[in-house]
Amino acid sequence: MARGSRRQGAPRRRRRDRHGRGLRGPLYPATLPAARSRAERFDALVLEALEPIEARWRTELTQLDVAVDDVPDVQAAGEDGDVVEDGNVPLARLVPAGADRRARIVLYRRPLEARAKDGADLSDLVHDVLVEQVANYLGLDPDVIDGD
């Protein structure tokens, strides 16, 4: 049998141990926080920022969903709804309820991350944008939503 030919039947998978360094595997175990992706860390940050707001306004927010997208959709620019922008770049959008959907706040991960200097700044920015969008949804002042 020639060197590059394969036998009929199930293909065989070779595992490589190049240069005797061991098989490749994950850099960090899945149980460590460093193994989470940037998107997973951002989702956790949004949930953390939403928790105190939802605890205080639970009954008013039962018909509201919160979602995260990586970047704003270009076609959604003409869509009705309140938008929080930095310059011309949307950071979040409030999509009003329709006949077949619930109201939804969409936070845009990449523009928010680009405007934050560090993790604490990103956390504050996400909190502020979320408070402003919830205030728009409820028709209240953001200070009332964020009040102690």
Side-chain angles (χ1 to χ4, degrees):
M1 183 180 284
R3 188 170 191 194
S5 66
R6 291 184 181 236
R7 287 188 253 170
Q8 297 276 342
R12 131 187 131 146
R13 192 164 218 230
R14 291 179 28 183
R15 298 192 55 101
R16 295 181 65 166
D17 181 11
R18 295 181 76 181
H19 308 290
R21 295 186 206 140
L23 297 175
R24 292 184 178 186
L27 186 58
Y28 297 105
T31 57
L32 294 179
R36 295 185 354 200
S37 69
R38 289 174 68 181
E40 290 171 332
R41 288 191 299 267
F42 187 82
D43 290 346
L45 189 67
V46 170
L47 289 174
E48 182 181 312
L50 183 62
E51 189 176 322
I53 298 169
E54 194 174 53
R56 184 169 181 199
W57 299 95
R58 183 173 310 278
T59 57
E60 290 85 356
L61 300 179
T62 57
Q63 297 299 313
L64 178 70
D65 293 331
V66 176
V68 174
D69 277 347
D70 282 340
V71 293
D73 187 13
V74 175
Q75 285 79 20
E79 188 177 313
D80 291 330
D82 292 318
V83 179
V84 175
E85 292 182 334
D86 181 17
N88 289 331
V89 180
L91 301 177
R93 177 181 303 280
L94 174 62
V95 181
D100 61 341
R101 67 174 187 234
R102 294 166 34 133
R104 181 178 64 232
I105 293 174
V106 181
L107 299 170
Y108 299 116
R109 178 178 66 88
R110 300 282 302 266
L112 286 166
E113 287 177 340
R115 277 142 186 84
K117 295 178 183 119
D118 56 15
D121 191 31
L122 180 60
S123 178
D124 291 341
L125 183 60
V126 167
H127 175 77
D128 292 343
V129 168
L130 199 54
V131 164
E132 188 169 337
Q133 289 294 3
V134 169
N136 286 340
Y137 173 71
L138 296 176
L140 299 171
D141 189 57
D143 294 334
V144 173
I145 301 296
D146 200 24
D148 293 327

